Amino acid sequence: ERVPVELSKGVNGLEKIILRETRGSSAEVYLYGGHVTSWKNEHGEELLFVSSKALFKPPKAIRGGIPICFPQFSNHGPLEPHGFARNKLWSIDTDPPAFPTNSSSKAYIDLILKPSEEDMKIWPHSYEFRLRVALGPGGDLMLTSRIRNTNTDGKPFTFTFAYHTYFSVSDISEVRVEGLETLDYLDNLLNKQRFTEQGDAITFEAEVDKIYLSTPTKIAILDHEKKRTLVLRKDGLPDAGEVDIANSGSICMYEMQKNIPPKMVWNPWDKKAKAMADFGDDEYKHMLCVEAAAIEKPITLKPGEEWRGRQELSAVPSSYCSGQLDPRRVLQGS
């Protein structure tokens, strides 16, 4: 019988938690950074990308997997890029508050991060950041973040946030992203100028670094070579509701929700990959970052208030229909 939760030693002796579902899927979470570094389906296929040159040496962040960006995304503020949560040692939360769940799975772990005196010097706020990482019975990977303002001086605080997910893909030139078409985006390669996506899907032929605004709660990453679709859902975010898939011929259409935090799409391509010490020169071909994030409209919490943001990832077999995703296959796998 599979042990659903196991504490183990990872790279360089860093502690990690291994989650296993009864059908064979698994995930690994490092206490360093509260960082998910592996997510495998029931066939043992890795669905996340971690660079072969990732250092696993604090205080350097782990390159790949799902880094947690808090309290700042990228360089959108005075702190170090992507904030400090991904560089801190988290603790196992042995007494988490009540947590509503639809799943009977026992493959989950609760982590918690609180500020140190060093943290308070650079970001003078008291908080509790609780993170649950869970595997569903079908192998879905779910991350739920709960951030509470515990300041005793009456002061609110403001932050930006992202699940900086690195997906493993067969070949970036064979991948397309659906669900972001016709949306406005900020292009970080052009000084954050605002544009509208014109294509029927996003494909990749050069470096991409875009922030898509007011995104749907569900998008799909189609990997033609692997005949696999990675589906990203997010909910529990400000004004996010349920989202329905509408079947219109062979086109996968998404009901759009307003005021939903944006998604970031990134691939460094060849020149930037070679300039990154913890990233292989050709590894850009096999990864794609699609990030559920709260960037454009930062989140403000008053003392005692809590924010919750949830991301659910699933992998389903897919076929192409008129060059696009066959929505029936996504429905069957959702």
Side-chain angles (χ1 to χ4, degrees), residues 7 14-17 29-36 58 61-62 66-71 82-94 109-116 119 127-133 143-148 161-163 307 309:
L7 188 62
L14 296 176
E15 286 192 315
K16 67 178 180 180
I17 297 100
V29 191
Y30 276 73
L31 291 182
Y32 177 60
H35 197 129
V36 178
I62 300 168
I66 310 180
I68 301 291
C69 302
F70 170 83
H82 291 324
F84 48 72
R86 63 181 188 152
N87 306 98
K88 300 298 179 183
L89 189 63
W90 293 54
S91 302
I92 295 175
D93 191 356
T94 55
I109 190 69
D110 289 295
L111 304 181
I112 187 168
L113 180 68
K114 296 182 180 181
S116 65
D119 297 337
Y127 65 88
E128 290 179 347
F129 187 151
R130 286 183 158 87
L131 172 68
R132 172 169 285 196
V133 182
L143 284 80
T144 305
S145 292
R146 294 184 292 180
I147 299 170
R148 179 176 293 275
F161 175 91
Y163 293 115
W307 172 86

Side-chain angles (χ1 to χ4, degrees), residues 13-217:
L14 296 176
E15 286 192 315
K16 67 178 180 180
I17 297 100
I18 303 172
L19 304 177
R20 297 185 182 91
E21 239 298 314
T22 53
R23 297 181 188 176
S25 59
S26 66
E28 295 184 1
V29 191
Y30 276 73
L31 291 182
Y32 177 60
H35 197 129
V36 178
T37 57
S38 176
W39 170 42
K40 294 180 180 178
N41 62 18
E42 59 189 23
H43 306 295
E45 297 169 328
E46 182 59 66
L47 304 171
L48 298 179
F49 167 88
V50 174
S51 174
S52 63
K53 294 190 174 182
L55 297 179
F56 289 85
K57 291 182 180 178
K60 178 70 175 177
I62 300 168
R63 175 67 69 185
I66 310 180
I68 301 291
C69 302
F70 170 83
Q72 176 182 299
F73 177 79
S74 187
N75 56 358
H76 295 249
L79 303 178
E80 61 180 298
H82 291 324
F84 48 72
R86 63 181 188 152
N87 306 98
K88 300 298 179 183
L89 189 63
W90 293 54
S91 302
I92 295 175
D93 191 356
T94 55
D95 188 25
F99 199 104
T101 178
N102 310 341
S103 172
S104 59
S105 172
K106 296 179 180 179
Y108 66 87
I109 190 69
D110 289 295
L111 304 181
I112 187 168
L113 180 68
K114 296 182 180 181
S116 65
E117 290 184 9
E118 180 184 337
D119 297 337
M120 295 287 281
K121 292 176 182 176
I122 60 172
W123 201 65
H125 301 290
S126 181
Y127 65 88
E128 290 179 347
F129 187 151
R130 286 183 158 87
L131 172 68
R132 172 169 285 196
V133 182
L135 277 175
D140 294 357
L141 178 66
M142 294 159 281
L143 284 80
T144 305
S145 292
R146 294 184 292 180
I147 299 170
R148 179 176 293 275
N149 183 336
T150 56
N151 278 334
T152 57
D153 57 7
K155 291 182 180 179
F157 62 66
T158 299
F159 63 92
T160 50
F161 175 91
Y163 293 115
H164 197 309
T165 306
Y166 288 71
F167 292 100
S168 174
V169 299
S170 57
D171 185 336
I172 189 64
S173 63
E174 295 290 326
V175 169
R176 55 192 287 138
V177 177
E178 294 193 357
L180 300 176
E181 49 273 14
T182 75
L183 298 186
D184 285 357
Y185 65 87
L186 307 178
D187 195 328
N188 287 332
L189 302 180
L190 295 172
N191 298 315
K192 296 184 175 62
Q193 290 185 62
R194 188 166 181 148
F195 300 94
T196 300
E197 186 61 56
Q198 301 295 330
D200 60 352
I202 300 169
T203 56
F204 303 90
E205 298 174 349
E207 181 185 357
V208 174
D209 193 349
K210 298 176 180 178
I211 299 173
Y212 286 83
L213 308 174
S214 299
T215 59
T217 58

